[in-house]
Structures are given as C-alpha cells and as structure tokens.
Amino acid sequence: MDIVFSPAHRRQHGQAELTDGRLVPVYEHPGRLDAVLEELARRGFPAPVEPEDHGLDPLVAVHDPAYVTFLQCAWDEWVAAHGPAHDALPLSWRAPGMREDREPTRIDGRLGYWSFDAGTPVTAGTWAAAYSAAQAADTARRRVSAGARAAFALARPPGHHAGSRFFGGYCFLNGAAISAQGFRDAGVERVAVLDVDYHHGNGTQQIFAGRPDVFTVSLHADPSFCFPFFLGHADETEGGTHLNLPLPKGTDWPRYLPALETALARIGEQEPGALVVSLGVDTWDGDPISSFKLQTADYRRMARRIGALGLPTVVVMEGGYAVETIGANVAEFLEGFEETPAAT
Ligand SMILES: [Zn+2]
C-alpha cells in the first residue's frame, strides 16, 4: 500500500488544550505520527512518499474559501494582538439568538467564529502542517484514481471534525472529505466514507449533508456522553445519505463487530465506486481520552472486513492517542487490509 507522509506534520505542536477544567499538554502531538512511521518501517512497509502540492483547489472544494483564508492568517493575527508566547485558543462562541452574519474583526472573536471547541490550539506551524495533511490525503486519492488499489495518508493534524467552515477536535482541514470530493471530481459517481474513529466525524457529516453522491457512515461513541456532543445521533440520516452508529462506553470487539457489519452492508448497497476510511485508533483499550475496548489484533479483523468490499480505497489517519500502541494498531489495520483482494 502506498503511504503518503510529510514531515511538515511536526509543525503542529500545540502547548496545551483545555480538558477537564485544566490546560494540559496536547494529546494530538507529533510523537503520534512518528511512532506510526517507526512501526511501519520496522514491519517492512515501503518507504513513504511526500505529498504532491496541488495548491488550494482541493481544499476549497470542500471548505469555504473565507475559512481557508482565515486559517492562513490566524497565527499572524494572534501574534499581532498577543505575541507569540502562547498558542491561539478561542474564547467565545455564538449561541442561539446571537448573530452569525457579522464576523468579528479581532482575532479572539474570529477564532470563535471559525471554530467549535477550545481543544484545538492554533500555532505558528498550524497552517503548514494542516496544508501538508490535506495534500497528503489528496495525493493518496490521486494514486488510487491512477490505479493503485489503496493508499494511506499518514498525516496530522487529523481532519474529520473539521467542517466546511469550522475547526475543532484537533482538526483544521478535512482530508477524508478532500479525498472523497476528489474521487467525485475524477468521475467516480458515488463515493462512501467510513469513519471508524472513536469520535463522531461531525465535520465529514456536515460537509456532505444531503449529498446522495457521497454516502457517509460513522461508528463512534454515543454523543450523549462523548465529544463532539452536538452531532452523531442515530436519527441524523440526512435523507438516507448518512448513517450514524453510536455505541456505548466500554464497547469491545464482540459489540463493535455487528455495527461494523451493518455499516459495511449499507455501504455495499450503495454500490460506491470508491471508499475513504477515516482511520482513528482511539477505539483502542487504553487510549487516554476514550472508553472503547478494542485490542490491537481487532484492527486486523476490522480491516479484513473493510477490504473485503474490494473497493479502491484511501485510508486517512485520524485519532489515536496512546503513543505506545498507535503504531501497532495502525500497522495491524494496514496489514489486514492488504490480505484482502481487490474486486475484479
Ligand atoms: Zn477520535
């Protein structure tokens, strides 16, 4: 499987995020991806390739150009107002009854205008890293469009919480959505996105809401108790173009598997021409911010079933915060996928 990786991911290294009433060291940090890279090399995967640069076009195919411009400028605006000593974090958000049609001019207000949480620090390197991750997802898609069975965008910051006009949940640009839209623009009539991250893929759902050409499915911790809290319930079907499968705390493989089989059956019914997988391994038993109980070997089982769809597939790295096992969990997934034949 082709692996697309850019060292520019290391430029996103926030100091702190707001969790449990405290500012704590960020869970989403460069060591995550470096651990995956090391494990893939140890297991003999081919050396990764760097992403091609196709400019802003793939980004603005799914994101509001004004939002993309904001991301490019946010750090400089923050430094002008507050200096470079601390990461930029939003402070205030709209509530019902407040205005959506007036974008604030001061950076503190603009951060809230374009985001939905305080867990996603903007740093000096955020734009460079997010841009490289978006290009990695786009490059992986181009490789599959050119004939590869599958490709893996080993990229961060992750993307599935980022919507057309907002960042949050460590995510700025939605690589999975960029890949899916890229398939569409390359002529694939119908694309499926399968999100197996522990958290609901709210950004992906929002971007493709009501789009019959992109069927989006997410298996995740029930938002009634878990981030992102305000999207991800089972009744959000978007006219049949979306499927949410919220799962309880403590979900282990025997309880996860029926939901996965439901997801794969529904994807099969849609007869998509390509698949994008948002691969989060924060479903692992022992992840520091999650509550599921999947074991490392379960990722191989999961990937064998996903691969059995036989679809041209892009896999995009999302979450997974247990640095000691993230590499093994991802490698098991990729090896399991490679055990499955492509459809003929
Ligand atoms: Zn997650």
Side-chain angles (χ1 to χ4, degrees), residues 88-165:
L89 282 176
L91 175 68
S92 172
W93 292 272
R94 289 187 302 278
M98 298 171 85
R99 302 225 2 210
E100 297 184 19
D101 61 329
R102 297 292 291 269
E103 182 181 351
T105 55
R106 186 176 168 84
I107 184 60
D108 304 78
R110 283 159 59 68
L111 285 161
Y113 183 82
W114 295 109
S115 72
F116 75 96
D117 82 346
T120 313
V122 176
T123 74
T126 293
W127 169 252
Y131 182 85
S132 77
Q135 298 296 340
D138 184 57
T139 299
R141 194 281 303 167
R142 287 171 189 270
R143 291 195 162 229
V144 174
S145 287
R149 161 81 199 288
F152 176 43
L154 177 54
R156 59 170 289 279
H160 73 146
H161 293 303
S164 57
R165 291 169 53 84

Side-chain angles (χ1 to χ4, degrees), residues 50 62 64 104 121 194 233 267 300 320 327 339:
E50 291 226 13
V62 300
D64 184 332
L194 173 62
H233 296 278
I267 289 171
R300 183 178 294 260
E339 289 167 9

Side-chain angles (χ1 to χ4, degrees), residues 57-64 163-165 174 177-178 181 207-208:
D57 286 352
L59 284 58
V60 299
V62 300
H63 293 287
D64 184 332
S164 57
R165 291 169 53 84
N174 193 319
I178 288 168
Q181 185 62 44
I207 285 170
F208 294 116

Side-chain angles (χ1 to χ4, degrees), residues 232-258:
H233 296 278
D235 61 353
E236 299 156 15
T237 61
E238 308 292 352
T241 66
H242 181 72
L243 175 65
N244 276 330
L245 296 161
L247 296 163
K249 277 183 187 171
T251 292
D252 56 6
W253 180 249
R255 285 183 283 183
Y256 192 91
L257 179 58

Side-chain angles (χ1 to χ4, degrees), residues 160-161 197-199 282 289-290 319-321:
H160 73 146
H161 293 303
D197 188 276
Y198 173 79
H199 303 93
D282 41 3
I289 64 169
S290 306
Y321 305 98

